[in-house]
Amino acid sequence: SLATARELLAAHGYQGLSIGAVAEAAGTTRPSVYLRFADKKDLATRAIAGMHVADELQTSEDVRADLVAELRHFRTAVTRPNGMTFVGTVLAEEQHTPDLVAHFRARLVEPRRRRVGGVLERGTRAGVLRAGLDVEVVTTTLIGSIYARYIATGDVPADWPERTVASVWPGICQA
């Protein structure tokens, strides 16, 4: 039921989600769904709470390549069918169903930021990236470029991660 709820959330938004639709799509009954979930809000928040960023990517000695790999992984996640729609659905409910956004941030946004920030911190410790680098700003810039490109054009080209890192690299690497 949780996977079905996530799919329906992405396709139809929170307002379009219903216990009946989840039951039908999951091949079960409304009473069966109500046995596990108190209501639509409970179902939706638990569906998002069950999501997570995949395991850490393998790292290398090449900080630049690792940043590109992290952005490729992120691009793949958000450009899958209904990926950005799902993000919009969650954000649209921020005022009415804040638990959705809280779970989304805790399970997906924060782990992704830790992964990218970890690569940057490793690069700083290794002397590849400049000392005093504002990891929070650079992390936001790298990840945010994918969101911004999608919002501006409805597309994030396959080479966007490489282009983004190449554009930011001169400003963050050790001189």
Side-chain angles (χ1 to χ4, degrees):
S1 296
L2 293 177
T4 302
R6 282 190 287 272
E7 290 172 17
L8 292 174
L9 271 170
H12 306 291
Y14 182 76
Q15 297 304 320
L17 180 70
S18 72
I19 297 290
V22 171
E24 183 179 330
T28 190
T29 64
R30 287 172 51 101
S32 294
V33 175
Y34 275 114
L35 285 174
R36 294 184 60 207
F37 307 100
D39 54 22
K40 177 172 96 167
K41 178 182 174 187
D42 182 39
L43 173 61
T45 55
R46 287 175 54 193
I48 293 173
M51 298 175 75
H52 68 279
V53 171
D55 295 335
E56 298 284 325
L57 297 179
Q58 210 161 21
T59 59
S60 70
E61 295 298 314
D62 187 339
V63 172
R64 185 175 177 158
D66 289 350
L67 284 174
V68 170
E70 286 291 348
L71 290 185
R72 276 191 198 132
H73 189 267
F74 177 57
R75 179 197 168 274
T76 298
V78 296
T79 60
R80 71 186 183 282
N82 293 321
M84 283 290 190
T85 304
F86 187 80
V87 173
T89 292
V90 171
L91 292 175
E93 287 302 312
E94 186 170 23
Q95 298 303 313
H96 306 292
T97 318
D99 291 350
L100 288 177
V101 176
H103 287 306
F104 178 74
R105 286 182 176 132
R107 302 292 293 176
L108 300 170
V109 175
E110 292 167 9
R112 174 76 60 197
R113 291 179 62 80
R114 279 193 301 272
R115 283 171 53 159
V116 172
V119 173
L120 294 168
E121 289 167 357
R122 185 169 44 85
T124 300
R125 285 191 307 273
V128 174
L129 301 180
R130 63 183 170 80
L133 184 69
D134 191 330
V135 172
E136 182 182 3
V137 168
V138 177
T139 297
T140 301
T141 299
L142 294 170
I143 292 171
S145 75
I146 292 174
Y147 287 125
R149 170 60 194 218
Y150 186 86
I151 290 168
T153 67
D155 177 48
V156 182
D159 68 343
W160 194 257
E162 291 85 355
R163 290 170 56 195
T164 301
V165 172
S167 295
V168 171
W169 192 256
I172 65 173
C173 71
Q174 186 65 28

